[in-house]
Amino acid sequence: MKLAFSTLGCPDWSLQQVAEHAGEYGYDGVELRIKGDRHVDPSLNASERRHAAESFRSRGVEIRSLSGYTTFTGKTREEVEANVQQLRVNAELAHDLGAPYVRTFLGKVPEGMTFDFAVAQVAESLARCAELVRPLGVSILIETHDDFSASAAVERVLREAGHPDGLALLWDTVHTYHSGETAQQVVERFGTNILHTHFKDCVPDAHNPRGHQYRYVLTGEGYIPIRENIAALRSIGYDGYLSFEWEKMWYPDLPGPEVALPHYLRYMRELLG
């Protein structure tokens, strides 16, 4: 298995600094966040895209995935369609940067919409996205997140979508844990359709400003069963990335990336042997 990190953990670094530190620390890959003016954005022109790709390639670091923020639980057709088209644009950027995957969320079910209706709408949207993106050779990763944090909920969506080629799971190990699922349940449900993972750790905190009942801590210092998660992945022959999603962007008081990123490497390398 290989190790990567998401640029969610280093919001103040330039794209060049991300590449330099990834190479310096010894990471195998990175996930680049698509949002606003940080790191990468579809507004990059062809020359800028080539330069960004070369910055990582020259240091032996793979751009493994682009982290998009599309969702498909919108209340209007126009909102849903805008997200379908945005995912296509995000996938084009991933293709140009040499990344095999682009991440999407499914979303939160709005007030007044039943979960059954949301599943049907999301499934239809994803089937269209898969068709639009397939010619690019980029796979869409569905993250266990929001009201679809349980892998069982994602499985239901994919079943209704007809399991089209090009859709796979990004297993966020914290979100499924808090949904009450074990690692073994996740890997038995998705098997080799798990193409990417997010790892992080946390401790209880009833006063989290974002409404969670936990707060993030350095890897290995909390209650998330990281060893069990890795063992479950090994049981299905997973050989992809264990990507560190340090949420420094949302929690500015967390230790900086110069602390958290090297710590994650040391801890995970020891677990991996």
Side-chain angles (χ1 to χ4, degrees):
M1 299 182 201
K2 298 179 180 181
L3 300 175
F5 68 88
S6 164
T7 53
L8 190 67
C10 49
D12 296 325
W13 286 356
S14 67
L15 189 62
Q16 186 65 27
Q17 286 176 308
V18 173
E20 290 172 355
H21 287 302
E24 173 191 348
Y25 294 155
Y27 272 91
D28 302 298
V30 295
E31 291 178 65
L32 302 181
R33 178 174 174 266
I34 308 174
K35 192 81 168 182
D37 61 351
R38 306 197 188 199
H39 303 138
V40 294
D41 184 87
S43 64
L44 293 177
N45 62 37
S47 175
E48 290 169 330
R49 294 179 185 208
R50 287 193 297 270
H51 177 73
E54 181 57 27
S55 293
F56 290 92
R57 184 166 49 245
S58 64
R59 292 173 171 83
V61 178
E62 180 182 13
I63 302 176
R64 187 61 170 179
S65 178
L66 299 193
S67 297
Y69 286 79
T70 46
T71 62
F72 307 103
T73 53
K75 289 186 175 182
T76 67
R77 273 191 181 277
E78 292 76 14
E79 185 180 348
V80 175
E81 180 62 22
N83 278 270
V84 169
Q85 296 304 321
Q86 184 62 55
L87 181 51
R88 177 187 58 79
V89 169
N90 291 348
E92 289 174 351
L93 178 60
H95 170 270
D96 291 348
L97 294 175
Y101 307 138
V102 61
R103 187 275 302 277
T104 188
F105 296 145
L106 299 185
K108 296 181 179 180
V109 180
E111 186 176 353
M113 181 184 291
T114 67
F115 192 73
D116 286 347
F117 184 91
V119 167
Q121 178 173 290
V122 169
E124 179 186 15
S125 302
L126 282 176
R128 289 188 56 224
C129 289
E131 185 176 350
L132 288 171
V133 169
R134 193 172 297 120
L136 296 169
V138 174
S139 293
I140 299 168
L141 298 181
I142 302 167
E143 182 170 348
T144 50
H145 197 273
D146 293 327
D147 287 340
F148 297 85
S149 289
S151 66
V154 178
E155 181 187 41
R156 182 179 169 188
V157 169
L158 289 178
R159 185 167 59 247
E160 188 145 341
H163 293 282
D165 291 340
L167 295 181
L169 188 74
L170 193 174
W171 176 22
D172 186 299
T173 56
V174 166
H175 294 159
T176 55
Y177 179 86
H178 288 135
S179 296
E181 292 183 332
T182 66
Q184 199 58 39
Q185 286 173 320
V186 176
V187 300
E188 287 176 358
R189 183 168 284 123
F190 275 90
T192 56
N193 209 31
I194 300 172
L195 295 187
H196 196 56
T197 62
H198 280 169
F199 277 74
K200 45 203 170 187
D201 210 347
C202 48
V203 295
D205 183 1
H207 306 290
N208 186 308
R210 293 178 66 86
H212 302 306
Q213 295 297 304
Y214 54 86
R215 61 181 171 86
Y216 292 113
V217 293
L218 293 174
T219 317
E221 296 183 0
Y223 57 69
I224 298 299
I226 295 174
R227 289 179 183 273
E228 289 85 344
N229 293 336
I230 292 174
L233 287 167
R234 280 179 164 151
S235 74
I236 58 169
Y238 179 79
D239 63 355
Y241 277 80
L242 311 178
S243 187
F244 183 37
E245 192 182 43
W246 187 237
E247 299 205 6
K248 179 70 171 175
M249 180 74 184
W250 311 133
Y251 299 98
D253 292 339
L254 287 175
E258 68 282 353
V259 174
L261 296 183
H263 174 87
Y264 179 79
L265 269 183
R266 290 191 298 270
Y267 181 82
M268 296 300 275
R269 281 173 173 166
E270 182 177 347
L271 286 189
L272 292 172

